[in-house]
Amino acid sequence: MGADFIDPDMQEIFESFCIETQELLDNLMPDLMLLEQQSDSELLNRIFRGFHTIKGTSSFMGFDTISTITHEAENILNKLRRNEMETSQPLIDVLLEVHDWIQLLLKRIMGGDLAPVDYSATIARLKALNNAQSDNPKANVLREESALSAVLSNKEIVQGSDDFSDEELAAIQAAFAEINADFAKSAAPQDSGDFTPEEELAIQAAFAEVNAGMAVNSAEKEGSQGDFTPEEEVQVQAAFAEVNRTFREAAAAQVSAAAAKPPSKQAADVAQQPDTTKKSGTVQAESTIRVDVARVETLMDLSGELVLGRNRLTQIANRFHNQSESGDLLQELFDTVAQVDFITSEIQTAVMKMRMIPIGKLYQKAPRIVRDLSKEFHKEIDLSLKGEETEIDRGIIEELNDPLVHMIRNSCDHGIETPAERIEKGKPARGHIVLDAEQEGNNIVIRISDDGRGMDHEKLKAKAIEKGLITPEQAAAMSMREAFQLIFQPGFSTAAVVSSVSGRGVGMDVVRTNILKLKGIIEIESEIGVGSTFVIKLPLTLAIIQGLLVGVGNEVYAIPLGSVVEVVDAERSAISTVNLREVIRIREQVLPLLRLRETLQTPYENEATAKEYVVVVGLAHQRIGIVVDKLFGQQEIVIKPLSSLLGSIQGIAGSTILGDGRVIMIVDIAELLAAG
Amino acid sequence: MEYSSQTSSATNSILQLVSFTIGNEEFGVDILKVQEINRMTAITRVPNAPEHVEGVINLRGKIIPIIDLRKRLGVDCNDHDKNTRIIVVELVGKVLGFIVDSVSEVRRIPVSITERPPAMIAGIRGDYITSIAKLEDRLLILLDLEKILSADEQEELAGIM
């Protein structure tokens, strides 16, 4: 963290502040979204505590920009918590706004930027909400009641006498009148009535009693007696006690009712996630430790070394074996090597798991995006999240964030229709987007599906021709799948109207670029009128891959096995030349050929090579044949990036060390495809 | 940093150098910059890399780039022989190796016998050279490895743009 403005002694505290605040923000987001659906005291308390902690720590750290705005939010939450205010749409909007400001400020502070931001509009909205007279009758009743109690107790303490002055009586009566009015309001619309009918009756009876007492009192007053008789006094106080008790019971009943109330179906969908995180959260607090990422990375590197050492050991053992030496000692060596082999694999897996985090982390932003967008587009969209517990390398998660946001936006904007359109088509008014993740072998598969209008491949083709991205001939030769891939072309946008969210034709381009960078594949399945599904396939980890070792001249290169489609014998395949470029025909497909020897300018000694192989590689839907001289088989390889001193080298993705200590280069398939 | 500024300010202080030869010239670099000196090992060529980058080697599990100092300085190249060495240095936090024809010795020389370099010496650009030390029978060229490296990067950048 590049925070030079922090005292070195404070550095550690600063770092934990950043981590903690980020965590709080991450937890607050689903809670705030949940508040939109339901409001219970536990949830409110949790949100309040979150903001409260952020306020406290940020003010301790001296980040007043954060603490000021958090303080305002806390004021409102405190009222909500004490039932002095009810949650409302504008209120949650503004709380989400506060969340965004804190997030922005935190990011900036982490980047060393302490400059204040202008969030005065948000503050003004917070203050307005805070000062607004609450419309909640129940809260008003409670407030009036406390005012009344204050007058009464004041009377007892100050005067020590039983006499009410005229003004006091007037105040009491006014207060009662207001309570009555509020009460009537609360009783009238059945849905806003938080009191049960029995409670209402009890309260009304109590009021009647108080009123009667008061009437008696004021009647006597007119007869110049001027004070409560002891009986009257007792009557009034008893009535108050009754009112008080009823209120308390009502409040208690409400709390338990809220707790017992089954959340609405919709809320349940959203509630699922926070609930699970909450549960695992409490367990985590006891059984997890926070470890610096750098330490895990070091461990990862070391375990990589261990893999190399093991590979070497295995090679040496095999050499002994080939020299056909025999004996107990050799057997012992073999046994030991086998054991080291096993343990190394175990360690490697364990360390890799340490870097894995549940994909739910990635999902966190999704509900908010869908909420904001459905408002913006006046659409009704539900979001379901599945497979949150699926684990994936944290490096991949970070890279996946932007693509996912773009795809959700795409689904909300282009996929889901407006409610009117949907009803017309005989679909439910509410659209549905599903995020689903699961592990399939060594891959993670993420699906983003919507039940929207689907994609018309003919329209896509027409559009691409119009934009000059493809020729009509190319379009004619395109399959449906290939046509869908057109939306990933830079400069392609299907929306007729450019909206603030999508339609600028950059988003989907970014999606594919990022996915390819992660050595992943993205495919689209779509049916007009039924919906579209984006399927992303990613490797579980980027650090260790299966590589196909190939020989070119005297050099050895590794090709990531994930990209290899098949290997064919060059002699037996039909290699021909089209437009001065070599192509190979494999079954019905014609693929461009690339000679690795030429691409990588490998020094060549004997021109006449005995044999050539064609390694067919592919990413997404692109395929290309790579000509090599030798095949050495496959091996697990640890990717080591090339030194930054070398900069980025064309056609090379990284390097690795073989069992015998040799360094070899890993071919960058994406770049070769781009070149081919 | 403080240490080196002291050594250069005090006229009587001593420089500790690793001296090596490239072609017919003798060079020296600050011993504090040198991590280790290795015999020649198998170097893996990096395709499409800049010309002076000889390749990469496996240094106990770390892959480090190797720069041919001879090509870098424009001195005639001999083939690698049994005297050829790789000087592993750490510069600006990065580890890399330089190929030299042979490594001679560790020398201690007083700062007083060094001089500012002329603009060009033995065909080597003056800004790669910190100073020239006049030994009894010959000259020792003290190299500024950081400059050599940064010039690399500058040229690479220029090449991209």
Side-chain angles (χ1 to χ4, degrees), chain A residues 409-549:
Chain A
R409 284 177 170 181
N410 187 72
S411 292
C412 290
D413 192 3
H414 304 307
I416 304 285
E417 311 91 330
T418 57
E421 238 176 286
R422 290 182 64 89
I423 288 165
E424 202 173 297
K425 287 182 187 169
K427 294 185 189 179
R430 295 189 75 85
H432 199 187
I433 295 177
V434 182
L435 278 186
D436 184 8
E438 62 181 335
Q439 191 177 337
E440 274 178 13
N442 265 336
N443 288 312
I444 290 286
V445 181
I446 301 170
R447 290 190 182 81
I448 297 116
S449 34
D450 63 65
D451 62 350
R453 56 173 72 97
M455 286 193 261
D456 185 340
H457 65 279
E458 291 302 335
K459 260 191 204 160
L460 291 175
K461 282 185 197 173
K463 178 101 175 180
I465 295 170
E466 182 197 314
K467 296 239 168 187
L469 297 171
I470 52 168
T471 60
E473 294 79 48
Q474 279 174 314
M478 260 184 189
S479 70
M480 203 156 103
R481 292 198 151 208
E482 283 169 329
F484 290 152
Q485 293 281 330
L486 282 172
I487 68 162
F488 296 121
Q489 293 268 346
F492 188 91
S493 169
T494 53
V497 184
V498 174
S499 71
S500 71
V501 189
S502 46
R504 280 170 305 235
V506 279
M508 297 314 269
D509 174 27
V510 170
V511 169
R512 187 165 69 167
T513 315
N514 277 24
I515 305 271
L516 287 189
K517 213 159 67 185
L518 295 171
K519 318 251 178 292
I521 292 176
I522 180 161
E523 286 182 17
I524 303 171
E525 295 156 9
S526 182
E527 198 175 324
I528 300 170
V530 178
S532 311
T533 302
F534 289 81
V535 184
I536 302 173
K537 259 185 210 168
L538 293 167
L540 268 184
T541 177
L542 294 179
I544 297 179
I545 60 166
Q546 289 287 330
L548 175 69
L549 301 191

Side-chain angles (χ1 to χ4, degrees), chain B residues 78-98:
Chain B
N78 297 334
D79 278 341
H80 300 161
D81 58 26
K82 64 179 174 36
N83 291 322
T84 308
R85 294 287 182 275
I86 294 173
I87 299 181
V88 178
V89 296
E90 191 180 329
L91 293 178
V92 289
K94 293 177 185 113
V95 179
L96 73 157
F98 288 107

